[in-house]
Each structure stands twice: as C-alpha cells, then as structure tokens.
Amino acid sequence: MRFDILFVLQSLAIATLARPGWGSSEKYPLVGFGKDNPIGETTGGKGGCTVTVSTVAQLEEAVQGTEPRIIRLKGSFDLPKRLAVGSNKSLLGVGKGAKINKSGITIAHGTNVIVRNLHISHILDDDCITISNTTRVWIDHNEFSSDISMGPDEYDGQVDIIRASDWITVSHNYFHDHWKSSLVGNEDSFRDIDFGHLHITYHHNYWRNEGTRGPAGRFGHQHVFNNLYEDFLYQAIHSRSDNQVLVEGNVFRGNSGEALSTYGLVIPEDSPNTSPDGDWEIDGFANLGARNDWGPATINITQVGTFTKAPYKYKLTPLRNVEKEVKKHAGLGKISV
Ligand SMILES: *[C@@H]1O[C@H](CO)[C@@H](O)[C@H](O)[C@H]1NC(C)=O
Ligand SMILES: *[C@@H]1O[C@H](CO)[C@@H](O)[C@H](O)[C@H]1NC(C)=O
Ligand SMILES: *[C@@H]1O[C@H](CO)[C@@H](O)[C@H](O)[C@H]1NC(C)=O
Ligand SMILES: *[C@@H]1O[C@H](CO)[C@@H](O)[C@H](O)[C@H]1NC(C)=O
C-alpha cells in the first residue's frame, strides 16, 4: 500500500518535471480560437527553459525577447510600471497563484503568450491585462478583482483586447468586484484596423459583482459559452459596430441587468464620467447557439448575424451543471504549477 502511494507520487512528479507548465493540460485543455486557428496553436514558452522568479527585477528580465520561456511566478509582485511581455512566453503563478498589483501586464506587437494562475488586482495605471496587436494568447485560471464601489472610471478594464489582436482564448477566470471587465476593440475610429480580427473564445469564466463589458466587442467575432454571471449589474455581453457574437450555454444569476445586447448605444452606466449620455454606435449582431439560462436578465437582439457555428471542436457543459462546474473550476489554485 505504502509502496503504491510512493510510486504514484513519484510518477506524478516525473510527469510534471517532464512537461513543465503543462502538468495539468489534460485536465483543462486549451479550447477555442487560441488553439484552432489558421496560424497555429498557442503554446507560450513550451520547448524553452523554465525559470522561477520571485522579484520584480527577475520577472522584468524573464519576459523580454522572443525566445520561448516558461516563467514561474512565486509570491507578490508590486509592479512599478507595466510589464511588457515578449512573444513565446508562459507566465504561470506557482501554487495558489502569484499576485500582481499596482501596474498591469501589456502583451503587444507579438504572438504566442500564456497567462495562468495570477491574481491581478487594484491596477490603477490602465487595464489589468492589455492585449494589443498580438495573436495567439491564452488567459486561463486567473483572478481579477478590485473595488466596484469606486465607480466605473477608477479602474480600467480587466482584459482588454485591441488593435487587430486575434486567435485568443479567455477561460476559467474569476472576474469579480470590478466595473469594466473586457473590452474588445476600444475605439470606434479603429474600424479599418480591427475589422475581421478579434476572434476570441470566452468559456467557463465566473463573473461576479461586475458592471459592464462581459465582454463588449466591436468589429470582431466572439464565441461566449458556458460562463456564469452573478450580479452582473448593468450589461454583460454587448455586440456593437458590426461585431458578431455566438452566445450559448451561459447562466445568469442574482441581480443581473442586461445579459446580451446588440443595440449600438454604449450605455451611460459604462463610463458616465466620459460620456454621461452614452455614445452612439451602429448595432452589432448576435446568434444564439445552445440554450442559455438568462435568469433575471434581459436580452435585446436587434440583428441576427452569420456567426452560427464555432469553427472548432468544443464540449458544452450541460446547462444545469454550468453554475456548479464554473464555481468549482474557475480561478486560482486549480492547475498544478
Ligand atoms: C517567437 O516569436 C516570434 C514572433 O515574435 C516568432 O517569429 C518566432 O518564430 C518565435 N520563436 C520560436 C522559437 O517559436
Ligand atoms: C499589493 O501587494 C502588496 C504586497 O506585495 C500589499 O502589501 C498591498 O496591500 C497590495 N495592494 C493592494 C491594493 O492589493
Ligand atoms: C504590430 O506588430 C508587428 C510585429 O508583430 C509590428 O511589425 C507592427 O509594426 C505592429 N503594428 C503596429 C501598428 O504597432
Ligand atoms: C433595444 O433596442 C432598440 C433598438 O432596436 C431600442 O430602441 C431599445 O431602446 C433597446 N432597449 C433597451 C432596453 O436598451
């Protein structure tokens, strides 16, 4: 008996060593546009060396350049400025997750980045994560939080994706106590740059006590499935400026306002300090796939689009299990790093 347990522990250790950073890829595999796309699966630092960092200086050094590298983050990082992450990197929080505060993370002008098991909170300089002019990103099993009582303009977005970024998966994250969650395409004036890009899969995320943008998209395509929204106060999924969303198998609970809208108006609750009456844009499109449970929330679909089917394989969690499964598996400490 004793021998058997040792043997099991040993083989687990070997499996983890042999595949650093990928020890749990079987349990939570990458699914969606970050995996299946015309330019190749997101692999981050796979194939590169593994480094463990515990100071800001070490972290800033490790994220530079384009050579593949797996970076294990241990402890808390009070970033004095935004962390600019190069191509072909995996950032993996160790154990119950690493903490990032003060400044956030920018992934710009590159490709192939994975971010897992980080708690990014109270970022005052900009978004928690900004993905700009970058392809192939996987944002998985992180926690994002701040303080919603400070209003919509105290903090910026949690995961904002802009400037023709493409082929991205945002999965199993816990977003809570924050106003503006995830903006896709941040300027009406960037239509020509963004149009036809911004393919993003959002699945099995847990949003709780948030204000708007869960997500809000312009010009792109987002597949939003099996997410749990609890107390999503004003407007969750917003598709505007010709954006297309495919929305299926999501669950809305608590004090949630509007679950889904394609009406172009950017509601005043989104950023009242900059646009007290709202901004007018043209409408977006939405398609409904497998049944959603809207709970108390409303929907306003003004235009049905052409995004009727995701161009990849994925497994839908049965609607009745979504609430329980998402709560159980989203956020920190679920992957082994
Ligand atoms: C890393 O990323 C760059 C793009 O920034 C790419 O051209 C290069 O091939 C990648 N390197 C490896 C070894 O994958
Ligand atoms: C940021 O992290 C430090 C620990 O590194 C902690 O002392 C501080 O309270 C944190 N600030 C916020 C706002 O979470
Ligand atoms: C986008 O990133 C590429 C590198 O991948 C760079 O060559 C190009 O100049 C960037 N475009 C803009 C508008 O910054
Ligand atoms: C829904 O969209 C229509 C436009 O088609 C708009 O007139 C109406 O005000 C919207 N409803 C809400 C609650 O935003």
Side-chain angles (χ1 to χ4, degrees):
M1 198 59 197
R2 192 186 157 82
F3 173 82
D4 283 347
I5 287 167
L6 273 178
F7 179 74
V8 168
L9 287 177
Q10 245 169 23
S11 11
L12 278 177
I14 288 164
T16 313
L17 276 179
R19 310 180 62 187
W22 291 81
S24 57
S25 61
E26 298 80 5
K27 189 167 179 197
Y28 300 108
L30 171 58
V31 170
F33 285 122
K35 172 168 186 282
D36 296 308
N37 61 61
I39 59 172
E41 179 172 346
T42 305
T43 55
K46 194 182 183 186
C49 64
T50 300
V51 296
T52 301
V53 300
S54 56
T55 67
V56 169
Q58 290 167 346
L59 175 60
E60 285 176 337
E61 167 90 28
V63 296
Q64 287 177 26
T66 62
E67 62 275 34
R69 194 173 299 127
I70 295 164
I71 302 156
R72 299 170 75 248
L73 288 78
K74 210 170 170 179
S76 274
F77 299 83
D78 264 358
L79 298 179
K81 58 175 191 297
R82 292 189 71 78
L83 187 72
V85 179
S87 297
N88 313 315
K89 300 288 182 290
S90 295
L91 272 63
L92 310 172
V94 172
K96 289 192 170 4
K99 196 163 164 44
I100 304 271
N101 69 17
K102 266 202 180 123
S103 284
I105 295 176
T106 299
I107 306 170
H109 317 303
T111 186
N112 196 23
V113 174
I114 294 175
V115 179
R116 304 181 84 184
N117 210 32
L118 302 185
H119 185 181
I120 307 182
S121 66
H122 299 94
I123 302 302
L124 282 163
D125 66 342
D126 202 330
D127 309 317
C128 296
I129 296 181
T130 306
I131 302 169
S132 178
N133 183 30
T134 292
T135 54
R136 300 193 295 159
V137 182
W138 186 22
I139 305 293
D140 178 74
H141 278 102
N142 302 286
E143 181 171 337
F144 299 88
S145 62
S146 63
D147 178 357
I148 197 171
S149 72
M150 303 297 286
D153 291 329
E154 173 76 2
Y155 300 98
D156 209 331
Q158 293 181 307
V159 177
D160 282 10
I161 303 173
I162 62 173
R163 303 298 188 283
S165 291
D166 226 343
W167 316 122
I168 292 166
T169 294
V170 178
S171 54
H172 302 287
N173 298 287
Y174 180 26
F175 297 101
H176 64 101
D177 299 293
H178 190 101
W179 204 293
K180 298 183 287 196
S181 189
S182 186
L183 181 63
V184 177
N186 69 340
E187 281 278 348
D188 205 21
S189 59
F190 291 132
R191 164 177 285 265
D192 293 345
I193 296 171
D194 284 342
F195 203 92
H197 300 285
L198 304 170
H199 291 85
I200 304 159
T201 304
Y202 291 86
H203 74 90
H204 295 94
N205 297 290
Y206 179 18
W207 271 287
R208 188 185 60 73
N209 197 31
E210 298 252 321
T212 56
R213 310 184 182 174
R218 296 177 172 97
F219 314 122
H221 288 71
Q222 298 90 45
H223 181 203
V224 184
F225 75 91
N226 285 154
N227 300 285
L228 172 63
Y229 299 80
E230 208 175 78
D231 299 329
F232 207 109
L233 303 174
Y234 304 105
Q235 184 181 60
I237 306 164
H238 193 202
S239 184
R240 61 181 186 258
S241 287
D242 291 328
N243 189 72
Q244 304 250 358
V245 288
L246 171 59
V247 179
E248 53 181 347
N250 299 288
V251 171
F252 292 79
R253 291 285 179 261
N255 180 22
S256 290
E258 196 168 40
L260 167 63
S261 174
T262 62
Y263 181 40
L265 174 69
V266 181
I267 58 173
E269 290 84 354
D270 194 62
S271 351
N273 298 344
T274 47
S275 53
D277 304 318
D279 293 316
W280 294 93
E281 290 181 23
I282 59 174
D283 291 7
F285 299 88
N287 286 87
L288 302 179
R291 202 162 66 83
N292 296 276
D293 177 351
W294 306 117
T298 59
I299 62 173
N300 194 5
I301 300 177
T302 59
Q303 300 186 114
V304 172
T306 54
F307 186 18
T308 54
K309 201 173 173 306
Y312 47 73
K313 274 202 189 125
Y314 60 104
K315 202 166 154 252
L316 276 170
T317 301
L319 194 59
R320 65 178 179 284
N321 297 341
V322 166
E323 185 171 2
K324 192 180 73 198
E325 291 288 311
V326 168
K327 278 187 180 169
K328 187 170 163 196
H329 295 290
L332 302 174
K334 312 291 180 186
I335 62 168
S336 52
V337 177

